[in-house]
Amino acid sequence: MLTITKANSFRGEMKIPGDKSISHRSIMLGALADGDTDVTDFLESADCLSTIDCFSRLGVFVERDFSHPGHLIVHGCGMEGLHPSFHTVALYTGNSGTTTRILSGILAPQRFVSLVSGDESVNKRPMNRVITPLRQMGARIESMNDDGCAPLEITGTSLRGISYVSPVASAQVKSAILLAGLYADGTTTVTEPSPSRDHTERMLRAFGADVDVGGNSVSVHHTEHLTPIKIQVPGDISSAAYFIAAAAIVPESEVLLRHVGINPTRDGILRVAKAMGADVTLLNETDDAEPCADILVRSSCLHGTKIGGDLIPTLIDELPVVAVMAACAEGTTVIKDAAELRVKESDRIRAMTEGLTAMGCDVTGTEDGMIIHGGKALRGAQIHTYADHRIAMSFAVAGLIADGETVLDDESCVRISYPTFFQDLKALEQ
Ligand code: S3P
């Protein structure tokens, strides 16, 4: 349990921890490369440590530099260098849907059998979205309880390239297929309804793979070798989102967030914050493998907006905290086309609707989103986080402007993506 109280203002400068999606991929692609990939600003959170653990058990030495947190070297074994894991019954992916799904794509073409299982939440999340396309490629992959969820049994076999039209915009699905596609005969193409985050494509190119992008489609070709690189992981815009929201809604605030990734497939929070009237300025923009900037946010009066369509994949993980901003904004905010929120670490539409209602906000959950009539003062309440890190962090932000005490039933879940979140929040509170 953790109690949050009202903040007077929110001021200062900070470095946001490394991007979770890019950290996972730096281990996965580094593992398959011929030699050493040097990673700095790696996110040392529970999810990314699950990825390190899985690849360690597959025979990849990930050397952590404990005197420099976030620095590690992935001693890649090459495309054919993974070994079966003998140590435990299953490769344990913890709470990480990203590890579970993308790893399945990497394991499908190996020469051995693997079992993949996560925690209670991961083992309830839909895996047919990767099982179906991987089977079309020839993969032998079974949901062990026959419920379309993990645990998964993956019997490695040779694969063929396919052209797959995905019903969901999901970077996890796209990445699982593309990484399996590196091993498949011919060309593998994934087409999405809207473009999802493109970190895998960018990183594959940097590792020397041949990747073609056109419209909402991405193709890879059979690849024998990946060349190791140096990766500096940018700050995670999904983590920055809590500070953007806090600075926007707490009066008299001014916060500078340094070196945050602003990849256009991830920057929906910036676009929506600005559409709501937030005072957000980008400084020191750079455009390397992943575009980055410092983000300056000052408090302002927010107003409601409409969020849907192609914008949704660019801010899917930020929608819980956007709902908090909407509760503080004058007028109505409508979030639609976001049914994916129901199958995240928790049903985030339900969790946000319940918590915001308890805090006195007028909010209705819909099948694929929320309708929020903002502008009423929020009051502190008991919040059920459903052990979901993004729900806990969103209500910690709501608690900063609520009257009275906001009590989170589980604050430890922030370790999944942002272990130092509460210390960092405290440091900026005045
Ligand atoms: C992620 C993709 C998104 C996102 C998740 C991380 C990734 O999930 O919600 O937190 O790193 O590929 P989906 O692929 O299910 O949209």
Side-chain angles (χ1 to χ4, degrees):
M1 281 209 327
L2 183 80
T3 302
I4 311 280
T5 51
K6 202 168 188 163
N8 293 325
S9 72
F10 208 69
R11 302 183 79 83
E13 193 178 318
M14 68 172 294
K15 185 175 175 191
I16 295 287
D19 187 276
K20 180 157 81 71
S21 295
I22 296 173
S23 295
H24 282 301
R25 287 157 172 80
S26 68
I27 302 298
M28 293 169 172
L29 294 191
L32 303 180
D34 295 326
D36 297 350
T37 290
D38 183 292
V39 188
T40 44
D41 291 332
F42 179 85
L43 174 66
E44 293 180 335
S45 76
D47 266 12
C48 300
L49 296 180
S50 293
T51 294
I52 292 187
D53 186 53
C54 289
F55 279 87
S56 303
R57 292 196 216 169
L58 290 163
V60 181
F61 177 36
V62 178
E63 188 182 343
R64 291 175 68 187
D65 175 356
F66 288 101
S67 56
H68 296 99
H71 180 215
L72 50 84
I73 295 170
V74 187
H75 296 278
C77 332
M79 294 290 291
E80 302 297 336
L82 298 183
H83 291 290
S85 161
F86 293 115
H87 303 290
T88 54
V89 176
L91 290 163
Y92 182 66
T93 58
N95 192 246
S96 177
T98 306
T99 313
T100 312
R101 295 197 178 111
I102 305 184
L103 181 62
S104 301
I106 295 174
L107 294 173
Q110 303 301 325
R111 294 165 205 268
F112 50 84
V113 181
S114 305
L115 302 178
V116 177
S117 181
D119 68 7
E120 222 191 318
S121 151
V122 156
N123 287 357
K124 282 194 200 124
R125 295 181 66 186
M127 291 297 147
N128 279 337
R129 52 182 61 196
V130 288
I131 294 175
T132 301
L134 290 174
R135 279 193 184 149
Q136 284 178 22
M137 297 177 81
R140 293 169 61 196
I141 172 166
E142 300 295 333
S143 158
M144 293 177 74
N145 297 326
D146 219 9
D147 56 359
C149 298
L152 303 173
E153 183 184 59
I154 302 171
T155 306
T157 186
S158 52
L159 304 182
R160 55 184 171 270
I162 57 164
S163 190
Y164 185 68
V165 179
S166 176
V168 282
S170 160
Q172 295 173 0
V173 171
K174 175 174 64 179
S175 303
I177 301 169
L178 293 178
L179 295 187
L182 297 178
Y183 290 84
D185 286 340
T187 300
T188 299
T189 303
V190 184
T191 303
E192 301 186 279
S194 308
S196 65
R197 63 192 66 192
D198 66 356
H199 306 302
T200 300
E201 298 90 297
R202 286 174 185 258
M203 206 183 273
L204 273 174
R205 278 213 183 103
F207 275 86
D210 191 5
V211 182
D212 305 318
V213 180
N216 292 357
S217 299
V218 190
S219 303
V220 293
H221 310 280
H222 181 84
T223 300
E224 302 273 337
H225 298 284
L226 294 176
T227 311
I229 57 170
K230 261 183 182 288
I231 299 173
Q232 192 196 355
V233 181
D236 196 328
I237 193 164
S238 298
S239 300
Y242 304 102
F243 296 92
I244 294 171
I249 64 179
V250 176
E252 314 273 316
S253 297
E254 180 171 319
V255 167
L256 181 67
L257 309 168
R258 276 186 281 109
H259 197 66
V260 180
I262 53 161
N263 178 319
T265 60
R266 294 284 299 281
D267 71 351
I269 178 66
L270 300 177
R271 286 185 267 157
V272 164
K274 285 181 188 162
M276 296 179 84
D279 181 353
V280 177
T281 311
L282 297 186
L283 304 164
N284 301 320
E285 286 186 55
T286 55
D287 197 1
D288 299 323
E290 289 282 350
C292 291
D294 297 338
I295 304 176
L296 178 68
V297 190
R298 298 191 183 98
S299 43
S300 55
C301 293
L302 301 183
H303 50 80
T305 189
K306 286 193 166 58
I307 306 167
D310 284 356
L311 194 54
I312 294 296
T314 71
L315 83 168
I316 188 72
D317 292 340
E318 292 68 79
L319 286 171
V321 81
V322 165
V324 172
M325 288 167 74
C328 304
E330 284 303 322
T332 301
T333 295
V334 180
I335 301 172
K336 62 178 185 122
D337 305 323
E340 278 294 297
L341 289 178
R342 296 224 177 255
V343 289
K344 292 292 180 189
E345 286 83 329
S346 69
D347 176 344
R348 289 181 174 162
I349 294 177
R350 177 177 171 197
M352 288 312 298
T353 306
E354 264 179 30
L356 285 176
T357 302
M359 294 183 85
C361 173
D362 179 356
V363 50
T364 311
T366 62
E367 266 309 294
D368 67 348
M370 282 169 266
I371 300 168
I372 301 158
H373 301 291
K376 275 208 221 158
L378 296 183
R379 57 172 185 267
Q382 302 275 340
I383 301 297
H384 186 4
T385 61
Y386 292 89
D388 181 335
H389 54 132
R390 302 216 184 274
I391 300 300
M393 291 188 277
S394 297
F395 281 106
V397 171
L400 297 175
I401 49 133
D403 291 324
E405 295 187 336
T406 300
V407 182
L408 308 177
D409 65 348
D410 174 9
E411 78 282 7
S412 68
C413 54
V414 304
R415 73 187 182 285
I416 295 300
S417 64
Y418 197 160
T420 58
F421 174 73
F422 291 108
Q423 288 98 293
D424 290 354
L425 196 70
K426 202 91 218 123
L428 297 185
E429 214 183 302
Q430 306 290 313

